[in-house]
Amino acid sequence: LINIMVTTDKNKRGVEIMNVENNQRYRDTEKRIQQAYWNLVNRTGGHKITVADICREANIHRTTFYGHFLDIYDLQEQAMKTQFMLFLQGFFNEDGNWSFREGMRKQIDFYYRNRKIIKRHLEMIEKQERHESTFEFEMDSRMMNTYQKIFQLKNEKEVSYHQKFFHTGLEAVVRQWIRGGCEEPAEEITDLLCRIFGM
C-alpha cells in the first residue's frame, strides 16, 4: 500500500518523510470511507448499502475503496472495531481520569442509535459462522499501562485475560439486548454493565 523505493543514504530522510505522508493520506482516506459508511447508516438505517454508495458519499473511486477494504462486509466490521477503539478512549477524560460509567454510557448510546445496522451486522456474522468478535481490540502501550493500573493487574498476561473477560461479557450483553429489540432503556443497560463489572 506504500510505495517502497531503493535510495541512497542521502535521500533516505526524504523517502521516510514521503512514507509518513503516504501513511497519513492512507489513514485519512480510510477514515473518510468509514465516515461515509456511518453517514449512510444514519440516513438509511444501513439497508442495502453498496460499495457504489460508499464511493459516491466519500467521493472516491472503486479502486480506492478496494485498496482499503475487501468488500462492504469488511468495511462494516472495521467500522465497528474503530468505534470500539473510540469507546475505549471514551473512558478517559482529558485530564486522564477514568470514568467507567461515562465511557459505558457513551458506547451504549451509540449502540442504541445504530441498533438496526448492528443487529444486521451480528446476524451477518452468525450466518457466515464467523467467530471473530466485534469487540476484539488491541491497546497501545500507554493504554495498556493505564488499563493495568486501573484494574490492579500484575502483568500483560493478566491484562490479556482481563480483556478477554471484559469484551466477551460486554459482547454477550449487547448481543442479547440488541437481538431482543433494545427493550430496556440504554440507561438501564449501562447500569447493569457497571454492576456486572463491579464499577
Side-chain angles (χ1 to χ4, degrees), residues 84-85 87-88 91-92 98 100 104 133-148 151 153-172 197:
F84 192 68
M85 287 302 298
F87 160 54
L88 287 179
F91 283 99
F92 298 93
W98 164 268
F100 186 89
M104 190 60 71
S133 171
T134 301
F135 296 79
E136 289 280 3
F137 59 90
E138 293 180 9
M139 295 189 287
D140 60 29
S141 58
R142 183 186 63 81
M143 190 172 284
M144 175 81 74
N145 292 335
T146 304
Y147 192 104
Q148 186 173 336
F151 293 106
L153 303 169
K154 295 176 183 175
N155 49 46
E156 288 189 14
K157 187 84 171 182
E158 286 196 359
V159 170
S160 176
Y161 283 127
H162 194 282
Q163 279 185 276
K164 182 65 70 175
F165 168 80
F166 180 83
H167 74 67
T168 302
L170 175 60
E171 180 168 16
F197 290 110

mmCIF file of all heavy atoms in Angstrom, residues 84-85 87-88 91-92 98 100 104 133-148 151 153-172 197:
data_model
loop_
_atom_site.group_PDB
_atom_site.id
_atom_site.type_symbol
_atom_site.label_atom_id
_atom_site.label_comp_id
_atom_site.label_asym_id
_atom_site.label_seq_id
_atom_site.Cartn_x
_atom_site.Cartn_y
_atom_site.Cartn_z
ATOM 1 N N PHE A 84 -15.236 0.756 18.493
ATOM 2 C CA PHE A 84 -14.906 0.197 19.792
ATOM 3 C C PHE A 84 -13.629 0.821 20.350
ATOM 4 O O PHE A 84 -13.504 1.030 21.566
ATOM 5 C CB PHE A 84 -14.763 -1.322 19.719
ATOM 6 C CG PHE A 84 -14.714 -1.966 21.080
ATOM 7 C CD1 PHE A 84 -15.829 -1.968 21.895
ATOM 8 C CD2 PHE A 84 -13.554 -2.547 21.543
ATOM 9 C CE1 PHE A 84 -15.792 -2.538 23.153
ATOM 10 C CE2 PHE A 84 -13.505 -3.128 22.792
ATOM 11 C CZ PHE A 84 -14.622 -3.128 23.606
ATOM 12 N N MET A 85 -12.666 1.142 19.475
ATOM 13 C CA MET A 85 -11.471 1.835 19.945
ATOM 14 C C MET A 85 -11.837 3.213 20.484
ATOM 15 O O MET A 85 -11.300 3.656 21.498
ATOM 16 C CB MET A 85 -10.458 1.963 18.808
ATOM 17 C CG MET A 85 -9.762 0.660 18.450
ATOM 18 S SD MET A 85 -8.889 -0.102 19.838
ATOM 19 C CE MET A 85 -7.681 1.173 20.217
ATOM 20 N N PHE A 87 -14.647 3.886 21.762
ATOM 21 C CA PHE A 87 -15.314 3.542 23.017
ATOM 22 C C PHE A 87 -14.305 3.453 24.152
ATOM 23 O O PHE A 87 -14.491 4.027 25.237
ATOM 24 C CB PHE A 87 -16.043 2.217 22.810
ATOM 25 C CG PHE A 87 -16.390 1.462 24.054
ATOM 26 C CD1 PHE A 87 -17.098 2.053 25.083
ATOM 27 C CD2 PHE A 87 -16.044 0.126 24.167
ATOM 28 C CE1 PHE A 87 -17.443 1.332 26.218
ATOM 29 C CE2 PHE A 87 -16.380 -0.606 25.297
ATOM 30 C CZ PHE A 87 -17.077 0.008 26.323
ATOM 31 N N LEU A 88 -13.186 2.784 23.920
ATOM 32 C CA LEU A 88 -12.169 2.659 24.964
ATOM 33 C C LEU A 88 -11.627 4.021 25.360
ATOM 34 O O LEU A 88 -11.452 4.316 26.539
ATOM 35 C CB LEU A 88 -11.019 1.775 24.474
ATOM 36 C CG LEU A 88 -11.302 0.287 24.378
ATOM 37 C CD1 LEU A 88 -10.068 -0.441 23.867
ATOM 38 C CD2 LEU A 88 -11.710 -0.268 25.723
ATOM 39 N N PHE A 91 -13.509 6.245 27.922
ATOM 40 C CA PHE A 91 -13.433 6.024 29.364
ATOM 41 C C PHE A 91 -12.498 7.020 30.039
ATOM 42 O O PHE A 91 -12.519 7.171 31.259
ATOM 43 C CB PHE A 91 -12.932 4.602 29.660
ATOM 44 C CG PHE A 91 -13.979 3.550 29.475
ATOM 45 C CD1 PHE A 91 -14.034 2.791 28.317
ATOM 46 C CD2 PHE A 91 -14.924 3.308 30.456
ATOM 47 C CE1 PHE A 91 -14.997 1.815 28.145
ATOM 48 C CE2 PHE A 91 -15.897 2.330 30.293
ATOM 49 C CZ PHE A 91 -15.933 1.586 29.139
ATOM 50 N N PHE A 92 -11.657 7.678 29.241
ATOM 51 C CA PHE A 92 -10.665 8.583 29.814
ATOM 52 C C PHE A 92 -11.031 10.036 29.530
ATOM 53 O O PHE A 92 -11.292 10.398 28.393
ATOM 54 C CB PHE A 92 -9.273 8.278 29.243
ATOM 55 C CG PHE A 92 -8.792 6.896 29.566
ATOM 56 C CD1 PHE A 92 -9.009 5.848 28.689
ATOM 57 C CD2 PHE A 92 -8.147 6.634 30.762
ATOM 58 C CE1 PHE A 92 -8.582 4.564 28.992
ATOM 59 C CE2 PHE A 92 -7.715 5.359 31.075
ATOM 60 C CZ PHE A 92 -7.932 4.324 30.183
ATOM 61 N N TRP A 98 -10.239 8.269 34.889
ATOM 62 C CA TRP A 98 -11.011 7.147 34.361
ATOM 63 C C TRP A 98 -12.453 7.247 34.831
ATOM 64 O O TRP A 98 -12.705 7.468 36.017
ATOM 65 C CB TRP A 98 -10.370 5.866 34.853
ATOM 66 C CG TRP A 98 -11.167 4.611 34.750
ATOM 67 C CD1 TRP A 98 -11.975 4.086 35.716
ATOM 68 C CD2 TRP A 98 -11.208 3.691 33.664
ATOM 69 N NE1 TRP A 98 -12.525 2.903 35.287
ATOM 70 C CE2 TRP A 98 -12.069 2.630 34.036
ATOM 71 C CE3 TRP A 98 -10.607 3.653 32.407
ATOM 72 C CZ2 TRP A 98 -12.332 1.553 33.193
ATOM 73 C CZ3 TRP A 98 -10.872 2.590 31.574
ATOM 74 C CH2 TRP A 98 -11.726 1.547 31.969
ATOM 75 N N PHE A 100 -15.612 4.774 34.229
ATOM 76 C CA PHE A 100 -16.200 3.588 33.608
ATOM 77 C C PHE A 100 -17.641 3.852 33.202
ATOM 78 O O PHE A 100 -18.051 3.557 32.086
ATOM 79 C CB PHE A 100 -16.136 2.408 34.579
ATOM 80 C CG PHE A 100 -16.599 1.109 33.977
ATOM 81 C CD1 PHE A 100 -15.704 0.278 33.326
ATOM 82 C CD2 PHE A 100 -17.926 0.726 34.046
ATOM 83 C CE1 PHE A 100 -16.116 -0.921 32.756
ATOM 84 C CE2 PHE A 100 -18.367 -0.467 33.489
ATOM 85 C CZ PHE A 100 -17.456 -1.289 32.835
ATOM 86 N N MET A 104 -19.039 3.783 29.379
ATOM 87 C CA MET A 104 -20.038 2.774 29.029
ATOM 88 C C MET A 104 -21.318 3.438 28.530
ATOM 89 O O MET A 104 -21.941 2.970 27.571
ATOM 90 C CB MET A 104 -20.336 1.891 30.243
ATOM 91 C CG MET A 104 -21.171 0.670 29.934
ATOM 92 S SD MET A 104 -20.392 -0.448 28.740
ATOM 93 C CE MET A 104 -19.064 -1.131 29.741
ATOM 94 N N SER A 133 -14.721 -11.814 17.139
ATOM 95 C CA SER A 133 -15.546 -10.909 17.931
ATOM 96 C C SER A 133 -15.501 -9.489 17.389
ATOM 97 O O SER A 133 -14.441 -8.990 17.013
ATOM 98 C CB SER A 133 -15.060 -10.897 19.380
ATOM 99 O OG SER A 133 -15.701 -9.891 20.114
ATOM 100 N N THR A 134 -16.658 -8.847 17.365
ATOM 101 C CA THR A 134 -16.721 -7.426 17.020
ATOM 102 C C THR A 134 -16.008 -6.588 18.066
ATOM 103 O O THR A 134 -15.579 -5.478 17.798
ATOM 104 C CB THR A 134 -18.201 -6.989 16.942
ATOM 105 O OG1 THR A 134 -18.846 -7.786 15.963
ATOM 106 C CG2 THR A 134 -18.335 -5.532 16.556
ATOM 107 N N PHE A 135 -15.865 -7.139 19.260
ATOM 108 C CA PHE A 135 -15.344 -6.383 20.383
ATOM 109 C C PHE A 135 -13.858 -6.645 20.640
ATOM 110 O O PHE A 135 -13.328 -6.210 21.640
ATOM 111 C CB PHE A 135 -16.153 -6.709 21.644
ATOM 112 C CG PHE A 135 -17.597 -6.286 21.538
ATOM 113 C CD1 PHE A 135 -18.512 -7.045 20.845
ATOM 114 C CD2 PHE A 135 -18.015 -5.097 22.105
ATOM 115 C CE1 PHE A 135 -19.840 -6.650 20.737
ATOM 116 C CE2 PHE A 135 -19.340 -4.687 22.002
ATOM 117 C CZ PHE A 135 -20.252 -5.466 21.315
ATOM 118 N N GLU A 136 -13.188 -7.384 19.766
ATOM 119 C CA GLU A 136 -11.753 -7.593 19.917
ATOM 120 C C GLU A 136 -11.038 -6.263 19.665
ATOM 121 O O GLU A 136 -11.439 -5.480 18.813
ATOM 122 C CB GLU A 136 -11.248 -8.621 18.896
ATOM 123 C CG GLU A 136 -11.697 -10.037 19.176
ATOM 124 C CD GLU A 136 -10.872 -10.716 20.248
ATOM 125 O OE1 GLU A 136 -9.982 -10.056 20.825
ATOM 126 O OE2 GLU A 136 -11.140 -11.892 20.518
ATOM 127 N N PHE A 137 -9.946 -6.029 20.379
ATOM 128 C CA PHE A 137 -9.198 -4.805 20.158
ATOM 129 C C PHE A 137 -7.782 -4.969 20.676
ATOM 130 O O PHE A 137 -7.496 -5.832 21.491
ATOM 131 C CB PHE A 137 -9.867 -3.616 20.849
ATOM 132 C CG PHE A 137 -10.009 -3.789 22.345
ATOM 133 C CD1 PHE A 137 -9.016 -3.361 23.209
ATOM 134 C CD2 PHE A 137 -11.140 -4.389 22.881
ATOM 135 C CE1 PHE A 137 -9.143 -3.527 24.574
ATOM 136 C CE2 PHE A 137 -11.271 -4.555 24.247
ATOM 137 C CZ PHE A 137 -10.274 -4.119 25.101
ATOM 138 N N GLU A 138 -6.898 -4.134 20.167
ATOM 139 C CA GLU A 138 -5.529 -4.087 20.659
ATOM 140 C C GLU A 138 -5.294 -2.708 21.246
ATOM 141 O O GLU A 138 -5.745 -1.706 20.711
ATOM 142 C CB GLU A 138 -4.538 -4.344 19.524
ATOM 143 C CG GLU A 138 -4.609 -5.754 18.959
ATOM 144 C CD GLU A 138 -3.606 -5.974 17.846
ATOM 145 O OE1 GLU A 138 -2.749 -5.083 17.638
ATOM 146 O OE2 GLU A 138 -3.669 -7.020 17.198
ATOM 147 N N MET A 139 -4.560 -2.669 22.361
ATOM 148 C CA MET A 139 -4.278 -1.399 23.018
ATOM 149 C C MET A 139 -2.829 -1.019 22.785
ATOM 150 O O MET A 139 -1.949 -1.890 22.753
ATOM 151 C CB MET A 139 -4.542 -1.512 24.515
ATOM 152 C CG MET A 139 -5.985 -1.752 24.878
ATOM 153 S SD MET A 139 -6.286 -1.624 26.673
ATOM 154 C CE MET A 139 -5.527 -3.144 27.225
ATOM 155 N N ASP A 140 -2.591 0.291 22.643
ATOM 156 C CA ASP A 140 -1.205 0.735 22.565
ATOM 157 C C ASP A 140 -0.592 0.647 23.962
ATOM 158 O O ASP A 140 -1.289 0.386 24.949
ATOM 159 C CB ASP A 140 -1.106 2.148 21.982
ATOM 160 C CG ASP A 140 -1.849 3.196 22.811
ATOM 161 O OD1 ASP A 140 -1.969 3.021 24.037
ATOM 162 O OD2 ASP A 140 -2.314 4.187 22.226
ATOM 163 N N SER A 141 0.719 0.870 24.063
ATOM 164 C CA SER A 141 1.424 0.665 25.331
ATOM 165 C C SER A 141 0.915 1.600 26.428
ATOM 166 O O SER A 141 0.800 1.202 27.590
ATOM 167 C CB SER A 141 2.928 0.853 25.137
ATOM 168 O OG SER A 141 3.214 2.145 24.633
ATOM 169 N N ARG A 142 0.582 2.841 26.054
ATOM 170 C CA ARG A 142 0.097 3.791 27.060
ATOM 171 C C ARG A 142 -1.226 3.327 27.645
ATOM 172 O O ARG A 142 -1.423 3.319 28.866
ATOM 173 C CB ARG A 142 -0.067 5.189 26.444
ATOM 174 C CG ARG A 142 -0.512 6.256 27.455
ATOM 175 C CD ARG A 142 -0.784 7.574 26.743
ATOM 176 N NE ARG A 142 -1.875 7.462 25.804
ATOM 177 C CZ ARG A 142 -3.169 7.517 26.159
ATOM 178 N NH1 ARG A 142 -3.514 7.655 27.423
ATOM 179 N NH2 ARG A 142 -4.104 7.438 25.241
ATOM 180 N N MET A 143 -2.143 2.897 26.767
ATOM 181 C CA MET A 143 -3.443 2.438 27.239
ATOM 182 C C MET A 143 -3.291 1.121 28.017
ATOM 183 O O MET A 143 -3.980 0.893 29.006
ATOM 184 C CB MET A 143 -4.403 2.265 26.070
ATOM 185 C CG MET A 143 -5.837 2.017 26.486
ATOM 186 S SD MET A 143 -6.984 2.057 25.089
ATOM 187 C CE MET A 143 -7.096 3.820 24.805
ATOM 188 N N MET A 144 -2.357 0.275 27.578
ATOM 189 C CA MET A 144 -2.093 -0.979 28.274
ATOM 190 C C MET A 144 -1.658 -0.709 29.709
ATOM 191 O O MET A 144 -2.147 -1.335 30.656
ATOM 192 C CB MET A 144 -1.003 -1.764 27.540
ATOM 193 C CG MET A 144 -0.558 -3.029 28.232
ATOM 194 S SD MET A 144 -1.650 -4.435 27.972
ATOM 195 C CE MET A 144 -1.272 -4.864 26.279
ATOM 196 N N ASN A 145 -0.745 0.245 29.893
ATOM 197 C CA ASN A 145 -0.251 0.578 31.234
ATOM 198 C C ASN A 145 -1.362 1.136 32.107
ATOM 199 O O ASN A 145 -1.481 0.796 33.293
ATOM 200 C CB ASN A 145 0.906 1.586 31.147
ATOM 201 C CG ASN A 145 2.150 0.989 30.532
ATOM 202 O OD1 ASN A 145 2.352 -0.224 30.591
ATOM 203 N ND2 ASN A 145 2.985 1.820 29.941
ATOM 204 N N THR A 146 -2.188 2.008 31.526
ATOM 205 C CA THR A 146 -3.296 2.594 32.284
ATOM 206 C C THR A 146 -4.304 1.516 32.674
ATOM 207 O O THR A 146 -4.760 1.459 33.816
ATOM 208 C CB THR A 146 -4.004 3.683 31.447
ATOM 209 O OG1 THR A 146 -3.040 4.652 31.056
ATOM 210 C CG2 THR A 146 -5.100 4.364 32.248
ATOM 211 N N TYR A 147 -4.630 0.652 31.736
ATOM 212 C CA TYR A 147 -5.566 -0.454 31.975
ATOM 213 C C TYR A 147 -5.054 -1.333 33.112
ATOM 214 O O TYR A 147 -5.800 -1.724 34.016
ATOM 215 C CB TYR A 147 -5.700 -1.255 30.677
ATOM 216 C CG TYR A 147 -6.818 -2.274 30.625
ATOM 217 C CD1 TYR A 147 -7.981 -2.009 29.915
ATOM 218 C CD2 TYR A 147 -6.700 -3.515 31.250
ATOM 219 C CE1 TYR A 147 -9.006 -2.953 29.828
ATOM 220 C CE2 TYR A 147 -7.716 -4.457 31.172
ATOM 221 C CZ TYR A 147 -8.862 -4.176 30.469
ATOM 222 O OH TYR A 147 -9.877 -5.104 30.386
ATOM 223 N N GLN A 148 -3.758 -1.626 33.070
ATOM 224 C CA GLN A 148 -3.154 -2.487 34.080
ATOM 225 C C GLN A 148 -3.244 -1.857 35.468
ATOM 226 O O GLN A 148 -3.561 -2.536 36.454
ATOM 227 C CB GLN A 148 -1.689 -2.749 33.706
ATOM 228 C CG GLN A 148 -0.988 -3.750 34.613
ATOM 229 C CD GLN A 148 0.401 -4.105 34.090
ATOM 230 O OE1 GLN A 148 0.675 -3.988 32.905
ATOM 231 N NE2 GLN A 148 1.259 -4.541 34.985
ATOM 232 N N PHE A 151 -7.091 -1.689 36.897
ATOM 233 C CA PHE A 151 -7.652 -2.950 37.371
ATOM 234 C C PHE A 151 -6.679 -3.740 38.252
ATOM 235 O O PHE A 151 -6.935 -4.890 38.582
ATOM 236 C CB PHE A 151 -8.108 -3.798 36.179
ATOM 237 C CG PHE A 151 -9.276 -3.208 35.451
ATOM 238 C CD1 PHE A 151 -9.110 -2.606 34.212
ATOM 239 C CD2 PHE A 151 -10.543 -3.226 36.013
ATOM 240 C CE1 PHE A 151 -10.195 -2.052 33.540
ATOM 241 C CE2 PHE A 151 -11.632 -2.674 35.347
ATOM 242 C CZ PHE A 151 -11.453 -2.086 34.105
ATOM 243 N N LEU A 153 -3.725 -5.095 37.801
ATOM 244 C CA LEU A 153 -3.263 -6.335 37.191
ATOM 245 C C LEU A 153 -1.738 -6.402 37.250
ATOM 246 O O LEU A 153 -1.062 -5.377 37.164
ATOM 247 C CB LEU A 153 -3.757 -6.416 35.746
ATOM 248 C CG LEU A 153 -5.284 -6.313 35.603
ATOM 249 C CD1 LEU A 153 -5.678 -6.139 34.144
ATOM 250 C CD2 LEU A 153 -5.973 -7.536 36.198
ATOM 251 N N LYS A 154 -1.204 -7.604 37.406
ATOM 252 C CA LYS A 154 0.226 -7.765 37.671
ATOM 253 C C LYS A 154 1.101 -7.618 36.431
ATOM 254 O O LYS A 154 2.221 -7.122 36.503
ATOM 255 C CB LYS A 154 0.484 -9.141 38.303
ATOM 256 C CG LYS A 154 -0.155 -9.306 39.666
ATOM 257 C CD LYS A 154 0.071 -10.725 40.181
ATOM 258 C CE LYS A 154 -0.633 -10.944 41.514
ATOM 259 N NZ LYS A 154 -0.509 -12.356 41.973
ATOM 260 N N ASN A 155 0.595 -8.080 35.285
ATOM 261 C CA ASN A 155 1.433 -8.093 34.092
ATOM 262 C C ASN A 155 0.550 -8.139 32.837
ATOM 263 O O ASN A 155 -0.680 -8.148 32.936
ATOM 264 C CB ASN A 155 2.379 -9.299 34.115
ATOM 265 C CG ASN A 155 1.635 -10.592 34.436
ATOM 266 O OD1 ASN A 155 0.570 -10.864 33.867
ATOM 267 N ND2 ASN A 155 2.176 -11.384 35.347
ATOM 268 N N GLU A 156 1.197 -8.179 31.673
ATOM 269 C CA GLU A 156 0.458 -8.173 30.407
ATOM 270 C C GLU A 156 -0.391 -9.427 30.234
ATOM 271 O O GLU A 156 -1.429 -9.386 29.576
ATOM 272 C CB GLU A 156 1.428 -8.021 29.229
ATOM 273 C CG GLU A 156 2.015 -6.623 29.115
ATOM 274 C CD GLU A 156 2.793 -6.414 27.833
ATOM 275 O OE1 GLU A 156 2.670 -7.257 26.904
ATOM 276 O OE2 GLU A 156 3.528 -5.416 27.748
ATOM 277 N N LYS A 157 0.053 -10.534 30.792
ATOM 278 C CA LYS A 157 -0.725 -11.776 30.708
ATOM 279 C C LYS A 157 -2.067 -11.598 31.407
ATOM 280 O O LYS A 157 -3.116 -11.993 30.886
ATOM 281 C CB LYS A 157 0.059 -12.913 31.359
ATOM 282 C CG LYS A 157 -0.568 -14.282 31.188
ATOM 283 C CD LYS A 157 -0.186 -14.879 29.863
ATOM 284 C CE LYS A 157 -0.623 -16.326 29.794
ATOM 285 N NZ LYS A 157 -0.224 -16.965 28.546
ATOM 286 N N GLU A 158 -2.038 -10.980 32.604
ATOM 287 C CA GLU A 158 -3.292 -10.732 33.319
ATOM 288 C C GLU A 158 -4.152 -9.734 32.563
ATOM 289 O O GLU A 158 -5.382 -9.853 32.559
ATOM 290 C CB GLU A 158 -3.003 -10.240 34.739
ATOM 291 C CG GLU A 158 -2.510 -11.327 35.672
ATOM 292 C CD GLU A 158 -2.590 -10.926 37.140
ATOM 293 O OE1 GLU A 158 -3.022 -9.779 37.433
ATOM 294 O OE2 GLU A 158 -2.231 -11.761 37.991
ATOM 295 N N VAL A 159 -3.532 -8.743 31.931
ATOM 296 C CA VAL A 159 -4.280 -7.782 31.110
ATOM 297 C C VAL A 159 -5.004 -8.528 30.001
ATOM 298 O O VAL A 159 -6.177 -8.284 29.715
ATOM 299 C CB VAL A 159 -3.351 -6.698 30.516
ATOM 300 C CG1 VAL A 159 -4.097 -5.866 29.477
ATOM 301 C CG2 VAL A 159 -2.805 -5.798 31.611
ATOM 302 N N SER A 160 -4.297 -9.481 29.364
ATOM 303 C CA SER A 160 -4.894 -10.264 28.284
ATOM 304 C C SER A 160 -6.105 -11.048 28.770
ATOM 305 O O SER A 160 -7.147 -11.065 28.106
ATOM 306 C CB SER A 160 -3.840 -11.222 27.708
ATOM 307 O OG SER A 160 -4.406 -12.049 26.722
ATOM 308 N N TYR A 161 -5.992 -11.691 29.933
ATOM 309 C CA TYR A 161 -7.129 -12.435 30.496
ATOM 310 C C TYR A 161 -8.290 -11.497 30.827
ATOM 311 O O TYR A 161 -9.458 -11.800 30.573
ATOM 312 C CB TYR A 161 -6.702 -13.181 31.763
ATOM 313 C CG TYR A 161 -5.918 -14.441 31.510
ATOM 314 C CD1 TYR A 161 -4.680 -14.647 32.112
ATOM 315 C CD2 TYR A 161 -6.422 -15.446 30.679
ATOM 316 C CE1 TYR A 161 -3.950 -15.810 31.891
ATOM 317 C CE2 TYR A 161 -5.703 -16.608 30.456
ATOM 318 C CZ TYR A 161 -4.469 -16.782 31.058
ATOM 319 O OH TYR A 161 -3.759 -17.938 30.842
ATOM 320 N N HIS A 162 -7.955 -10.357 31.407
ATOM 321 C CA HIS A 162 -8.994 -9.396 31.795
ATOM 322 C C HIS A 162 -9.714 -8.873 30.559
ATOM 323 O O HIS A 162 -10.952 -8.751 30.558
ATOM 324 C CB HIS A 162 -8.374 -8.244 32.585
ATOM 325 C CG HIS A 162 -9.374 -7.403 33.309
ATOM 326 N ND1 HIS A 162 -10.147 -6.441 32.677
ATOM 327 C CD2 HIS A 162 -9.746 -7.385 34.617
ATOM 328 C CE1 HIS A 162 -10.928 -5.865 33.561
ATOM 329 N NE2 HIS A 162 -10.714 -6.410 34.751
ATOM 330 N N GLN A 163 -8.955 -8.549 29.515
ATOM 331 C CA GLN A 163 -9.558 -8.085 28.265
ATOM 332 C C GLN A 163 -10.527 -9.117 27.709
ATOM 333 O O GLN A 163 -11.615 -8.777 27.250
ATOM 334 C CB GLN A 163 -8.474 -7.807 27.220
ATOM 335 C CG GLN A 163 -7.787 -6.472 27.350
ATOM 336 C CD GLN A 163 -6.847 -6.280 26.193
ATOM 337 O OE1 GLN A 163 -5.719 -6.734 26.220
ATOM 338 N NE2 GLN A 163 -7.317 -5.611 25.164
ATOM 339 N N LYS A 164 -10.096 -10.382 27.722
ATOM 340 C CA LYS A 164 -10.949 -11.449 27.197
ATOM 341 C C LYS A 164 -12.261 -11.511 27.967
ATOM 342 O O LYS A 164 -13.345 -11.593 27.386
ATOM 343 C CB LYS A 164 -10.211 -12.785 27.295
ATOM 344 C CG LYS A 164 -10.971 -13.968 26.731
ATOM 345 C CD LYS A 164 -11.195 -13.856 25.223
ATOM 346 C CE LYS A 164 -9.904 -14.012 24.459
ATOM 347 N NZ LYS A 164 -10.141 -14.026 22.981
ATOM 348 N N PHE A 165 -12.177 -11.436 29.291
ATOM 349 C CA PHE A 165 -13.369 -11.446 30.136
ATOM 350 C C PHE A 165 -14.240 -10.232 29.842
ATOM 351 O O PHE A 165 -15.465 -10.344 29.680
ATOM 352 C CB PHE A 165 -12.948 -11.448 31.611
ATOM 353 C CG PHE A 165 -14.072 -11.177 32.569
ATOM 354 C CD1 PHE A 165 -14.970 -12.185 32.930
ATOM 355 C CD2 PHE A 165 -14.255 -9.917 33.122
ATOM 356 C CE1 PHE A 165 -16.012 -11.933 33.810
ATOM 357 C CE2 PHE A 165 -15.295 -9.656 34.001
ATOM 358 C CZ PHE A 165 -16.177 -10.670 34.340
ATOM 359 N N PHE A 166 -13.610 -9.066 29.722
ATOM 360 C CA PHE A 166 -14.332 -7.817 29.528
ATOM 361 C C PHE A 166 -15.100 -7.819 28.216
ATOM 362 O O PHE A 166 -16.313 -7.612 28.189
ATOM 363 C CB PHE A 166 -13.355 -6.637 29.574
ATOM 364 C CG PHE A 166 -14.002 -5.296 29.383
ATOM 365 C CD1 PHE A 166 -14.600 -4.640 30.444
ATOM 366 C CD2 PHE A 166 -14.012 -4.685 28.134
ATOM 367 C CE1 PHE A 166 -15.196 -3.395 30.266
ATOM 368 C CE2 PHE A 166 -14.608 -3.453 27.951
ATOM 369 C CZ PHE A 166 -15.200 -2.805 29.020
ATOM 370 N N HIS A 167 -14.391 -8.082 27.106
ATOM 371 C CA HIS A 167 -15.088 -7.940 25.816
ATOM 372 C C HIS A 167 -16.052 -9.087 25.560
ATOM 373 O O HIS A 167 -17.061 -8.907 24.881
ATOM 374 C CB HIS A 167 -14.112 -7.728 24.656
ATOM 375 C CG HIS A 167 -13.351 -8.932 24.213
ATOM 376 N ND1 HIS A 167 -13.926 -10.017 23.614
ATOM 377 C CD2 HIS A 167 -12.024 -9.204 24.258
ATOM 378 C CE1 HIS A 167 -13.004 -10.904 23.310
ATOM 379 N NE2 HIS A 167 -11.850 -10.447 23.698
ATOM 380 N N THR A 168 -15.767 -10.283 26.125
ATOM 381 C CA THR A 168 -16.706 -11.392 25.941
ATOM 382 C C THR A 168 -18.013 -11.120 26.672
ATOM 383 O O THR A 168 -19.104 -11.330 26.138
ATOM 384 C CB THR A 168 -16.090 -12.716 26.434
ATOM 385 O OG1 THR A 168 -14.877 -12.961 25.717
ATOM 386 C CG2 THR A 168 -17.047 -13.885 26.215
ATOM 387 N N GLY A 169 -17.902 -10.617 27.916
ATOM 388 C CA GLY A 169 -19.101 -10.290 28.686
ATOM 389 C C GLY A 169 -19.882 -9.146 28.074
ATOM 390 O O GLY A 169 -21.114 -9.198 27.966
ATOM 391 N N LEU A 170 -19.161 -8.108 27.648
ATOM 392 C CA LEU A 170 -19.816 -6.953 27.030
ATOM 393 C C LEU A 170 -20.543 -7.364 25.756
ATOM 394 O O LEU A 170 -21.697 -6.993 25.533
ATOM 395 C CB LEU A 170 -18.783 -5.869 26.719
ATOM 396 C CG LEU A 170 -19.285 -4.636 25.973
ATOM 397 C CD1 LEU A 170 -20.361 -3.908 26.761
ATOM 398 C CD2 LEU A 170 -18.128 -3.698 25.663
ATOM 399 N N GLU A 171 -19.865 -8.162 24.929
ATOM 400 C CA GLU A 171 -20.483 -8.591 23.681
ATOM 401 C C GLU A 171 -21.744 -9.416 23.932
ATOM 402 O O GLU A 171 -22.764 -9.241 23.259
ATOM 403 C CB GLU A 171 -19.499 -9.409 22.846
ATOM 404 C CG GLU A 171 -20.101 -9.887 21.541
ATOM 405 C CD GLU A 171 -19.070 -10.438 20.574
ATOM 406 O OE1 GLU A 171 -17.944 -10.739 21.003
ATOM 407 O OE2 GLU A 171 -19.404 -10.561 19.390
ATOM 408 N N ALA A 172 -21.689 -10.305 24.931
ATOM 409 C CA ALA A 172 -22.849 -11.150 25.223
ATOM 410 C C ALA A 172 -24.056 -10.310 25.630
ATOM 411 O O ALA A 172 -25.180 -10.550 25.174
ATOM 412 C CB ALA A 172 -22.497 -12.151 26.323
ATOM 413 N N PHE A 197 -19.581 -5.502 36.059
ATOM 414 C CA PHE A 197 -18.129 -5.338 36.118
ATOM 415 C C PHE A 197 -17.642 -4.734 37.432
ATOM 416 O O PHE A 197 -16.466 -4.452 37.604
ATOM 417 C CB PHE A 197 -17.640 -4.487 34.936
ATOM 418 C CG PHE A 197 -17.755 -5.206 33.615
ATOM 419 C CD1 PHE A 197 -18.685 -4.808 32.671
ATOM 420 C CD2 PHE A 197 -16.938 -6.284 33.322
ATOM 421 C CE1 PHE A 197 -18.802 -5.469 31.453
ATOM 422 C CE2 PHE A 197 -17.046 -6.953 32.112
ATOM 423 C CZ PHE A 197 -17.978 -6.552 31.171
#
